[in-house]
Amino acid sequence: MKKTVFLLNAVLIIFTAVMCAIYKNNYQLWLKALTASGFVAIGAVNFVHTLVLKKKKGFPLFAFMGLALCMAGDIILFKNFILGAAVFVLGHIMYVAAYCALKKVCLTDIIVIPLTAAASLGFILFCPAFNFGGAVMTAVAAVYALVISVMLGKAISNFITERSLLHAVILLGSLMFFVSDIALAFNVFGGSPSWSNTLCLFTYFPGQCVIALSLYFHNTADKA
């Protein structure tokens, strides 16, 4: 069973990588949806693995819901930026819930998360490159930055308190997701520098794959 799940993960990662390259050269909605379906499929395979092994379901369930919501946000973002961002926020909240399912709120969270949030909000609100065009979009950007910084801060805190392979993988995926959102902000609100779209694309999809893959490491950990 473990070898089969590992093989499925490998095939789906390769599929997502190929689709990411194809989508890079042809920005169509159906291609974006197909690419995003790769990381959702990885999450689904690993969540089913959780159920078969009768492991703790909190982290895998919330993480899988986050993956599915991010795919939905991907699709909606093409048509309605604010609504798509709202769905992404829900996805990030699911990730936070997943990370909290692994480790309850602790003193390290209270130190790390506010620092991460302050740095993220300060960058979004005071970086001269950004022009959000009004109070509404500025508020949307601030809320989004706050939520994703909580996600990243919790991932950092969990790794600090338990330096395991699982938490390292979660931190890597969360950091890649965070970087992709910074790149997206530059692409949409920061003058669209030439590097921003490529950086967003090649940190977002791989980052989601890494988060989806963390379910596999959760399932194969001795104490999961």
PDB file of all heavy atoms in Angstrom, residues 78-99:
ATOM      1  N   PHE A  78      -9.908  34.116 -11.870  1.00  0.00           N
ATOM      2  CA  PHE A  78      -9.907  34.492 -13.283  1.00  0.00           C
ATOM      3  C   PHE A  78     -11.073  35.425 -13.605  1.00  0.00           C
ATOM      4  O   PHE A  78     -10.961  36.292 -14.471  1.00  0.00           O
ATOM      5  CB  PHE A  78     -10.011  33.232 -14.147  1.00  0.00           C
ATOM      6  CG  PHE A  78      -8.766  32.930 -14.926  1.00  0.00           C
ATOM      7  CD1 PHE A  78      -7.632  32.412 -14.305  1.00  0.00           C
ATOM      8  CD2 PHE A  78      -8.708  33.163 -16.282  1.00  0.00           C
ATOM      9  CE1 PHE A  78      -6.487  32.115 -15.018  1.00  0.00           C
ATOM     10  CE2 PHE A  78      -7.571  32.874 -17.017  1.00  0.00           C
ATOM     11  CZ  PHE A  78      -6.455  32.355 -16.378  1.00  0.00           C
ATOM     12  N   LYS A  79     -12.200  35.233 -12.922  1.00  0.00           N
ATOM     13  CA  LYS A  79     -13.421  35.974 -13.231  1.00  0.00           C
ATOM     14  C   LYS A  79     -13.683  37.125 -12.255  1.00  0.00           C
ATOM     15  O   LYS A  79     -14.227  38.161 -12.633  1.00  0.00           O
ATOM     16  CB  LYS A  79     -14.624  35.022 -13.219  1.00  0.00           C
ATOM     17  CG  LYS A  79     -14.500  33.843 -14.181  1.00  0.00           C
ATOM     18  CD  LYS A  79     -14.491  34.306 -15.634  1.00  0.00           C
ATOM     19  CE  LYS A  79     -14.434  33.106 -16.581  1.00  0.00           C
ATOM     20  NZ  LYS A  79     -14.413  33.534 -18.011  1.00  0.00           N
ATOM     21  N   ASN A  80     -13.332  36.909 -10.978  1.00  0.00           N
ATOM     22  CA  ASN A  80     -13.632  37.904  -9.945  1.00  0.00           C
ATOM     23  C   ASN A  80     -12.515  37.879  -8.914  1.00  0.00           C
ATOM     24  O   ASN A  80     -12.428  36.945  -8.111  1.00  0.00           O
ATOM     25  CB  ASN A  80     -14.988  37.597  -9.300  1.00  0.00           C
ATOM     26  CG  ASN A  80     -15.445  38.681  -8.334  1.00  0.00           C
ATOM     27  OD1 ASN A  80     -14.680  39.151  -7.494  1.00  0.00           O
ATOM     28  ND2 ASN A  80     -16.695  39.069  -8.456  1.00  0.00           N
ATOM     29  N   PHE A  81     -11.668  38.901  -8.931  1.00  0.00           N
ATOM     30  CA  PHE A  81     -10.466  38.897  -8.095  1.00  0.00           C
ATOM     31  C   PHE A  81     -10.819  38.885  -6.610  1.00  0.00           C
ATOM     32  O   PHE A  81     -10.251  38.104  -5.836  1.00  0.00           O
ATOM     33  CB  PHE A  81      -9.582  40.109  -8.399  1.00  0.00           C
ATOM     34  CG  PHE A  81      -8.270  40.094  -7.668  1.00  0.00           C
ATOM     35  CD1 PHE A  81      -7.180  39.419  -8.200  1.00  0.00           C
ATOM     36  CD2 PHE A  81      -8.131  40.728  -6.440  1.00  0.00           C
ATOM     37  CE1 PHE A  81      -5.970  39.386  -7.512  1.00  0.00           C
ATOM     38  CE2 PHE A  81      -6.928  40.698  -5.753  1.00  0.00           C
ATOM     39  CZ  PHE A  81      -5.846  40.028  -6.302  1.00  0.00           C
ATOM     40  N   ILE A  82     -11.749  39.731  -6.187  1.00  0.00           N
ATOM     41  CA  ILE A  82     -12.079  39.832  -4.769  1.00  0.00           C
ATOM     42  C   ILE A  82     -12.693  38.523  -4.254  1.00  0.00           C
ATOM     43  O   ILE A  82     -12.324  38.027  -3.188  1.00  0.00           O
ATOM     44  CB  ILE A  82     -13.027  41.018  -4.499  1.00  0.00           C
ATOM     45  CG1 ILE A  82     -12.298  42.346  -4.775  1.00  0.00           C
ATOM     46  CG2 ILE A  82     -13.542  41.004  -3.061  1.00  0.00           C
ATOM     47  CD1 ILE A  82     -13.161  43.571  -4.570  1.00  0.00           C
ATOM     48  N   LEU A  83     -13.624  37.963  -5.021  1.00  0.00           N
ATOM     49  CA  LEU A  83     -14.245  36.701  -4.610  1.00  0.00           C
ATOM     50  C   LEU A  83     -13.222  35.570  -4.588  1.00  0.00           C
ATOM     51  O   LEU A  83     -13.206  34.740  -3.664  1.00  0.00           O
ATOM     52  CB  LEU A  83     -15.403  36.353  -5.544  1.00  0.00           C
ATOM     53  CG  LEU A  83     -16.197  35.079  -5.206  1.00  0.00           C
ATOM     54  CD1 LEU A  83     -16.774  35.171  -3.803  1.00  0.00           C
ATOM     55  CD2 LEU A  83     -17.303  34.853  -6.232  1.00  0.00           C
ATOM     56  N   GLY A  84     -12.362  35.536  -5.587  1.00  0.00           N
ATOM     57  CA  GLY A  84     -11.314  34.527  -5.617  1.00  0.00           C
ATOM     58  C   GLY A  84     -10.381  34.644  -4.424  1.00  0.00           C
ATOM     59  O   GLY A  84     -10.004  33.644  -3.810  1.00  0.00           O
ATOM     60  N   ALA A  85     -10.024  35.900  -4.083  1.00  0.00           N
ATOM     61  CA  ALA A  85      -9.169  36.128  -2.914  1.00  0.00           C
ATOM     62  C   ALA A  85      -9.860  35.663  -1.638  1.00  0.00           C
ATOM     63  O   ALA A  85      -9.221  35.092  -0.744  1.00  0.00           O
ATOM     64  CB  ALA A  85      -8.809  37.605  -2.817  1.00  0.00           C
ATOM     65  N   ALA A  86     -11.183  35.885  -1.555  1.00  0.00           N
ATOM     66  CA  ALA A  86     -11.944  35.455  -0.377  1.00  0.00           C
ATOM     67  C   ALA A  86     -11.916  33.940  -0.227  1.00  0.00           C
ATOM     68  O   ALA A  86     -11.770  33.409   0.888  1.00  0.00           O
ATOM     69  CB  ALA A  86     -13.382  35.953  -0.474  1.00  0.00           C
ATOM     70  N   VAL A  87     -12.033  33.227  -1.342  1.00  0.00           N
ATOM     71  CA  VAL A  87     -11.981  31.760  -1.298  1.00  0.00           C
ATOM     72  C   VAL A  87     -10.578  31.299  -0.901  1.00  0.00           C
ATOM     73  O   VAL A  87     -10.419  30.348  -0.127  1.00  0.00           O
ATOM     74  CB  VAL A  87     -12.397  31.152  -2.655  1.00  0.00           C
ATOM     75  CG1 VAL A  87     -12.223  29.636  -2.647  1.00  0.00           C
ATOM     76  CG2 VAL A  87     -13.844  31.511  -2.974  1.00  0.00           C
ATOM     77  N   PHE A  88      -9.566  31.990  -1.401  1.00  0.00           N
ATOM     78  CA  PHE A  88      -8.198  31.672  -1.001  1.00  0.00           C
ATOM     79  C   PHE A  88      -8.003  31.873   0.498  1.00  0.00           C
ATOM     80  O   PHE A  88      -7.300  31.096   1.164  1.00  0.00           O
ATOM     81  CB  PHE A  88      -7.189  32.525  -1.769  1.00  0.00           C
ATOM     82  CG  PHE A  88      -6.604  31.839  -2.966  1.00  0.00           C
ATOM     83  CD1 PHE A  88      -6.843  32.312  -4.243  1.00  0.00           C
ATOM     84  CD2 PHE A  88      -5.798  30.720  -2.819  1.00  0.00           C
ATOM     85  CE1 PHE A  88      -6.306  31.678  -5.348  1.00  0.00           C
ATOM     86  CE2 PHE A  88      -5.252  30.079  -3.921  1.00  0.00           C
ATOM     87  CZ  PHE A  88      -5.500  30.564  -5.196  1.00  0.00           C
ATOM     88  N   VAL A  89      -8.597  32.953   1.037  1.00  0.00           N
ATOM     89  CA  VAL A  89      -8.519  33.198   2.478  1.00  0.00           C
ATOM     90  C   VAL A  89      -9.078  32.008   3.246  1.00  0.00           C
ATOM     91  O   VAL A  89      -8.495  31.552   4.237  1.00  0.00           O
ATOM     92  CB  VAL A  89      -9.260  34.500   2.863  1.00  0.00           C
ATOM     93  CG1 VAL A  89      -9.512  34.560   4.366  1.00  0.00           C
ATOM     94  CG2 VAL A  89      -8.456  35.713   2.432  1.00  0.00           C
ATOM     95  N   LEU A  90     -10.213  31.478   2.780  1.00  0.00           N
ATOM     96  CA  LEU A  90     -10.796  30.289   3.413  1.00  0.00           C
ATOM     97  C   LEU A  90      -9.831  29.101   3.336  1.00  0.00           C
ATOM     98  O   LEU A  90      -9.708  28.316   4.283  1.00  0.00           O
ATOM     99  CB  LEU A  90     -12.124  29.933   2.755  1.00  0.00           C
ATOM    100  CG  LEU A  90     -13.284  30.916   2.970  1.00  0.00           C
ATOM    101  CD1 LEU A  90     -14.512  30.481   2.161  1.00  0.00           C
ATOM    102  CD2 LEU A  90     -13.626  31.028   4.447  1.00  0.00           C
ATOM    103  N   GLY A  91      -9.151  28.981   2.193  1.00  0.00           N
ATOM    104  CA  GLY A  91      -8.155  27.922   2.050  1.00  0.00           C
ATOM    105  C   GLY A  91      -7.034  28.062   3.060  1.00  0.00           C
ATOM    106  O   GLY A  91      -6.612  27.085   3.693  1.00  0.00           O
ATOM    107  N   HIS A  92      -6.544  29.280   3.238  1.00  0.00           N
ATOM    108  CA  HIS A  92      -5.487  29.534   4.220  1.00  0.00           C
ATOM    109  C   HIS A  92      -5.968  29.233   5.637  1.00  0.00           C
ATOM    110  O   HIS A  92      -5.212  28.698   6.462  1.00  0.00           O
ATOM    111  CB  HIS A  92      -5.026  30.982   4.134  1.00  0.00           C
ATOM    112  CG  HIS A  92      -4.228  31.293   2.901  1.00  0.00           C
ATOM    113  ND1 HIS A  92      -3.130  30.560   2.507  1.00  0.00           N
ATOM    114  CD2 HIS A  92      -4.370  32.265   1.974  1.00  0.00           C
ATOM    115  CE1 HIS A  92      -2.634  31.062   1.396  1.00  0.00           C
ATOM    116  NE2 HIS A  92      -3.371  32.101   1.044  1.00  0.00           N
ATOM    117  N   ILE A  93      -7.221  29.575   5.919  1.00  0.00           N
ATOM    118  CA  ILE A  93      -7.778  29.288   7.242  1.00  0.00           C
ATOM    119  C   ILE A  93      -7.807  27.781   7.484  1.00  0.00           C
ATOM    120  O   ILE A  93      -7.527  27.305   8.591  1.00  0.00           O
ATOM    121  CB  ILE A  93      -9.178  29.907   7.385  1.00  0.00           C
ATOM    122  CG1 ILE A  93      -9.064  31.443   7.436  1.00  0.00           C
ATOM    123  CG2 ILE A  93      -9.888  29.391   8.642  1.00  0.00           C
ATOM    124  CD1 ILE A  93     -10.396  32.165   7.385  1.00  0.00           C
ATOM    125  N   MET A  94      -8.133  27.020   6.451  1.00  0.00           N
ATOM    126  CA  MET A  94      -8.104  25.558   6.583  1.00  0.00           C
ATOM    127  C   MET A  94      -6.686  25.059   6.865  1.00  0.00           C
ATOM    128  O   MET A  94      -6.486  24.128   7.661  1.00  0.00           O
ATOM    129  CB  MET A  94      -8.646  24.897   5.309  1.00  0.00           C
ATOM    130  CG  MET A  94     -10.131  25.055   5.088  1.00  0.00           C
ATOM    131  SD  MET A  94     -11.146  24.323   6.405  1.00  0.00           S
ATOM    132  CE  MET A  94     -11.628  25.818   7.293  1.00  0.00           C
ATOM    133  N   TYR A  95      -5.696  25.677   6.216  1.00  0.00           N
ATOM    134  CA  TYR A  95      -4.307  25.289   6.487  1.00  0.00           C
ATOM    135  C   TYR A  95      -3.925  25.603   7.940  1.00  0.00           C
ATOM    136  O   TYR A  95      -3.255  24.804   8.603  1.00  0.00           O
ATOM    137  CB  TYR A  95      -3.351  25.999   5.526  1.00  0.00           C
ATOM    138  CG  TYR A  95      -3.365  25.457   4.118  1.00  0.00           C
ATOM    139  CD1 TYR A  95      -3.144  26.290   3.032  1.00  0.00           C
ATOM    140  CD2 TYR A  95      -3.595  24.111   3.862  1.00  0.00           C
ATOM    141  CE1 TYR A  95      -3.149  25.804   1.731  1.00  0.00           C
ATOM    142  CE2 TYR A  95      -3.606  23.610   2.573  1.00  0.00           C
ATOM    143  CZ  TYR A  95      -3.376  24.467   1.504  1.00  0.00           C
ATOM    144  OH  TYR A  95      -3.391  23.975   0.231  1.00  0.00           O
ATOM    145  N   VAL A  96      -4.343  26.775   8.414  1.00  0.00           N
ATOM    146  CA  VAL A  96      -4.070  27.131   9.814  1.00  0.00           C
ATOM    147  C   VAL A  96      -4.704  26.104  10.747  1.00  0.00           C
ATOM    148  O   VAL A  96      -4.082  25.641  11.709  1.00  0.00           O
ATOM    149  CB  VAL A  96      -4.589  28.545  10.142  1.00  0.00           C
ATOM    150  CG1 VAL A  96      -4.461  28.830  11.640  1.00  0.00           C
ATOM    151  CG2 VAL A  96      -3.831  29.601   9.349  1.00  0.00           C
ATOM    152  N   ALA A  97      -5.959  25.726  10.447  1.00  0.00           N
ATOM    153  CA  ALA A  97      -6.646  24.715  11.254  1.00  0.00           C
ATOM    154  C   ALA A  97      -5.887  23.384  11.202  1.00  0.00           C
ATOM    155  O   ALA A  97      -5.774  22.679  12.219  1.00  0.00           O
ATOM    156  CB  ALA A  97      -8.080  24.532  10.763  1.00  0.00           C
ATOM    157  N   ALA A  98      -5.369  23.042  10.018  1.00  0.00           N
ATOM    158  CA  ALA A  98      -4.603  21.800   9.866  1.00  0.00           C
ATOM    159  C   ALA A  98      -3.351  21.832  10.730  1.00  0.00           C
ATOM    160  O   ALA A  98      -3.028  20.847  11.421  1.00  0.00           O
ATOM    161  CB  ALA A  98      -4.233  21.591   8.394  1.00  0.00           C
ATOM    162  N   TYR A  99      -2.632  22.955  10.699  1.00  0.00           N
ATOM    163  CA  TYR A  99      -1.391  23.064  11.468  1.00  0.00           C
ATOM    164  C   TYR A  99      -1.687  23.057  12.964  1.00  0.00           C
ATOM    165  O   TYR A  99      -0.902  22.510  13.758  1.00  0.00           O
ATOM    166  CB  TYR A  99      -0.627  24.325  11.086  1.00  0.00           C
ATOM    167  CG  TYR A  99      -0.268  24.422   9.605  1.00  0.00           C
ATOM    168  CD1 TYR A  99       0.215  25.602   9.064  1.00  0.00           C
ATOM    169  CD2 TYR A  99      -0.420  23.326   8.756  1.00  0.00           C
ATOM    170  CE1 TYR A  99       0.537  25.693   7.714  1.00  0.00           C
ATOM    171  CE2 TYR A  99      -0.106  23.417   7.408  1.00  0.00           C
ATOM    172  CZ  TYR A  99       0.374  24.605   6.892  1.00  0.00           C
ATOM    173  OH  TYR A  99       0.683  24.699   5.559  1.00  0.00           O
TER     174      TYR A  99
END
